[in-house]
Each structure stands twice: as C-alpha cells, then as structure tokens.
Amino acid sequence: MLTPPRTVVRREGGIYALERALQRRGFRVVAGADEAGRGACAGPLVAAAAVLPEGKRGEVDELTDSKLLTAAARERVYVEVVKRALAYAVVVIPAAEVDARGLHVCNLAAMRRALAALTTRPEYVLTDGFGVDGLGVPGLAVWKGDQVAACVAAASVLAKVTRDRIMVDLHERFPQYGFDEHKGYVTPEHNAALAAHGPCLEHRFSYVNVATVSGRDSRPPRSRRPATVGALEPMGQAAPAGGTVGVALAEGARLSLPVGEDVAMEGGVR
C-alpha cells in the first residue's frame, strides 16, 4: 500500500493545507470523518464522512470545527457542504446501540460505515482524533482534525447539524428534558430534569448520571429496542425501519479542477 512521502504542513497554510499537501502527492480524493454526540447522555451518536472537490470549488466560507460555529453559521455551512461535496455520508447510531456495544466501539464503527458508504472511493482518509482501520486505503488520525483539515471540518458540520435536528425532533416527544436546548449533553438543567422525571428511552443508561437516577445499575429497560430515527430529509434518505443504523449519502458532480496551491506549505504529511 502506498503512503505519501513525509511532508511538513505549515500551520499558517490554513484549513485546506493538509488536503492540498496530500493531493500534490497524488492522493487526489481525500475524505474526512468526524462524529457528534460522544459526550451526550441522551440521543444518538452521529458520524459523517465527506469528500470536498479540489481547488476553489471545495472552499466553503466559514468552514471550521462545528463546535466553534453558531447554530445559524452551521446551517449555512451545512448547505454549502452538501452542495459542493463530491460525496458525503451520515450514519446514526441510536442510544440503545451505544449502551449495548460501548461508546468507543460505536464511534469507530460509525466513522468506518460512513467512509464505506461514500459513493466516491477515497484514496486517503483523515479522521478526527482516532484512527480507523479496515478501510483499505491509507489514513491519518489528526488531533483536532476538525480545526485543521477541511474535509474533517465538513464531516463535523454534517454530523453536528444532523444530530441537532434529531434532538429538536426528540424534544417534541420528550419536552420535559429540554433536548432542543442542550441537545442531550450533560448540563445542570438536564440533570435536574433527569432527577425530576427519570430517564426516557432515548437516554444512554450506560452513562453514570443516567444509571444513577434510573436505579438500574447501567442496565437499560429490557423493553427498550434500538430507536428508529426520523427521516433525514435534508440528507435525502431515511434510517431503515427497525434498523440500528441509518445511512444517508449523496454524490455531487465530479469536477475536474486544478489543485489549489498554498505557498506557505512545503513537502508532505507529518
């Protein structure tokens, strides 16, 4: 398996520098993967993968780590990523599966599934924080990748916006928890609601705060089944009925564009 020669990517090269370094080394199709919801004690874990076109077509205004953007800015960037991406995919892992298989296992599996679902096969993969094996192509785990690699940032936005929309929908079913505000993360308001009402089926019973108020010692109710997620309409495909994982994907027009140049960058990936 080919690997790129060692390259120095200068920080001042910006969020597109790493991908352009790889593209100059012959890896023209670079995919990024990231997740949203690792730290939440309720709702699904969502992972996304994205491939942006080379050159100016792949440059998205305001693109950065989704956590650094306002909700309105994330929605704007989401629209642009969906419009510009050569391919993207989103995978939804319900809370029941997180409890059954464990967070880290689900996190890696979700990113692997999202990357495998891309309709344009990547030649190189960048992931945020954790390496993902079994992809059949070279890859690199990048610390804070959603702040330093455009394709990872694009995946971050896709995952975050999709998950936020799911949590807003869940608020309609379970208004007592305020999912539309805290999106299932651990906040004083969320813990107070848990203490007052106990957990619902969308909570992760393997999390200490949920297990404590449930009185079930990290064991979810036997009647709980993997939750189905509402149709991911902006992504164009619903989660399969009765399944544990929903995959939504799309493919943009394949564009033949020159590789963008960054004069502050030299060599290859380190």
Side-chain angles (χ1 to χ4, degrees), residues 236-259:
Q237 185 173 332
T244 59
V245 180
V247 178
L249 52 91
E251 181 177 33
R254 290 181 172 82
L255 302 175
S256 177
L257 293 175
V259 179

Side-chain angles (χ1 to χ4, degrees), residues 84-114:
R84 293 169 180 263
L86 291 179
Y88 65 92
V90 176
V91 170
V92 178
I93 307 288
E97 189 167 340
V98 174
D99 282 342
R101 301 183 63 196
L103 176 64
H104 187 62
V105 169
C106 285
N107 184 39
L108 296 184
M111 287 197 289
R112 187 180 297 111
R113 294 175 194 178

Side-chain angles (χ1 to χ4, degrees), residues 19-36:
E19 283 164 82
R20 287 173 175 167
L22 287 165
Q23 288 161 350
R24 287 201 292 269
R25 294 295 182 180
F27 295 91
R28 303 294 298 273
V29 182
V30 181
D34 198 7
E35 53 70 34

Side-chain angles (χ1 to χ4, degrees), residues 12 16 23 34 41 87 89 96 107 117 119 132 153 173 181 185 226 253 260:
E12 59 267 28
Y16 299 95
Q23 288 161 350
D34 198 7
C41 67
N107 184 39
T119 51
V132 179
R173 292 170 53 195
E181 293 293 331
Y185 286 90

Side-chain angles (χ1 to χ4, degrees), residues 68-258:
L68 302 179
L69 297 170
T70 65
R74 280 196 299 268
E75 289 286 347
R76 291 194 299 269
V77 173
Y78 176 96
V79 171
E80 286 299 310
V81 169
V82 168
K83 181 169 67 175
R84 293 169 180 263
L86 291 179
Y88 65 92
V90 176
V91 170
V92 178
I93 307 288
E97 189 167 340
V98 174
D99 282 342
R101 301 183 63 196
L103 176 64
H104 187 62
V105 169
C106 285
N107 184 39
L108 296 184
M111 287 197 289
R112 187 180 297 111
R113 294 175 194 178
L115 288 161
L118 291 170
T119 51
T120 298
R121 179 175 171 79
E123 298 170 353
Y124 201 95
V125 169
L126 300 172
T127 54
D128 183 41
F130 301 100
V132 179
D133 58 12
L135 299 176
V137 296
L140 179 69
V142 183
W143 178 250
K144 294 189 179 298
D146 45 12
Q147 297 180 30
V148 299
C151 58
V152 179
S156 171
V157 170
L158 291 173
K160 174 65 173 169
V161 170
T162 299
R163 188 179 186 279
D164 283 358
R165 291 175 179 178
I166 291 171
M167 297 309 296
V168 170
D169 287 343
L170 288 179
H171 176 71
E172 299 299 316
R173 292 170 53 195
F174 306 103
Q176 65 270 35
Y177 299 104
F179 288 152
D180 60 331
E181 293 293 331
H182 53 67
K183 306 301 190 295
Y185 286 90
V186 181
T187 65
E189 295 77 14
H190 192 181
N191 279 336
L194 273 170
H197 305 287
C200 72
L201 296 183
E202 297 296 337
H203 279 95
R204 301 178 187 174
F205 288 76
S206 54
Y207 280 51
V208 172
N209 64 323
V210 178
T212 299
V213 299
S214 73
R216 300 188 61 85
D217 190 26
S218 301
R219 292 177 293 111
R222 183 173 297 178
S223 61
R224 189 171 81 163
R225 294 292 184 267
T228 57
V229 181
L232 304 180
E233 294 178 357
M235 304 298 291
Q237 185 173 332
T244 59
V245 180
V247 178
L249 52 91
E251 181 177 33
R254 290 181 172 82
L255 302 175
S256 177
L257 293 175

